[in-house]
Amino acid sequence: MNDELNELYQEVIMEHNRHPRNYGVLANANHQAAGFNPLCGDRINLKLHIDEDDKITAIMFEGNGCAISIASASLLTEMLQGKQVAEAYALFEQFHEVLTGKIANTPSLGKLSVLAGVRTFPARVKCATLAWHTLKAALTDEAAPVSTETGHEP
Ligand code: ZN
């Protein structure tokens, strides 16, 4: 990745951190979960409304944490609005593979590509994936808050 592109990516992350999209409490949510990353102290609460055709008709989040965790949650809500649940899972899988270095950064990640630079900082990968783990918990209706570290109580 060249420096100019890297800088652009960082600007997008900082901008989403300052002005998170879809921030707040979703009134008509029918799925929700809370996520916690004890390594960094990031907390995300995610609420969604999914219709009978498995389409994500609305998604909002609240939370506090580092710029990467908030920007990632903001980008997640922006990208998944109106998507099918199956598309959300597929995107998460691809995003996770990019962040863990299994595959190269790919245009099919869309705006999530701005977070690909995190792969060079393994400790921050959990900041970037927290919202996605929380999403997975919301989709499977896990009652207990999810933690990126097992054995830690949120
Ligand atoms: Zn973090």
Side-chain angles (χ1 to χ4, degrees):
M1 194 187 300
N2 65 50
D3 287 349
E4 215 170 288
L5 189 63
N6 210 358
E7 221 166 87
L8 178 75
Y9 283 0
Q10 278 174 21
E11 265 172 43
V12 174
I13 291 169
M14 294 320 288
E15 203 275 320
H16 271 267
N17 179 47
R18 278 195 300 269
H19 306 288
R21 315 299 194 272
N22 307 300
Y23 194 92
V25 177
L26 183 66
N28 65 337
N30 56 7
H31 291 265
Q32 58 178 295
F36 179 51
N37 173 18
L39 293 182
C40 184
D42 312 315
R43 289 178 189 276
I44 299 287
N45 282 296
L46 198 65
K47 290 185 196 281
L48 312 90
H49 184 267
I50 296 169
D51 72 9
E52 55 277 10
D53 299 320
D54 272 350
K55 184 177 158 182
I56 301 168
T57 56
I59 178 166
M60 289 184 85
F61 84 102
E62 281 189 311
N64 51 72
C66 66
I68 291 168
S69 68
I70 299 300
S72 176
S74 174
L75 287 160
L76 175 151
T77 61
E78 200 177 55
M79 286 199 70
L80 296 187
Q81 201 88 41
K83 289 267 196 320
Q84 292 296 126
V85 168
E87 291 177 278
Y89 276 121
L91 192 59
F92 178 32
E93 201 170 307
Q94 210 169 39
F95 182 53
H96 198 258
E97 284 184 349
V98 168
L99 287 183
T100 51
K102 289 199 183 87
I103 59 170
N105 197 4
T106 156
S108 57
L109 283 185
K111 281 189 174 181
L112 292 178
S113 287
V114 302
L115 290 162
V118 169
R119 62 203 271 167
T120 49
F121 307 98
R124 308 313 294 278
V125 168
K126 281 167 181 170
C127 302
T129 55
L130 174 64
W132 290 86
H133 287 294
T134 310
L135 171 79
K136 219 170 172 179
L139 292 174
T140 53
D141 285 319
E142 275 175 41
V146 287
S147 174
T148 54
E149 305 302 301
T150 47
H152 287 69
E153 282 302 311

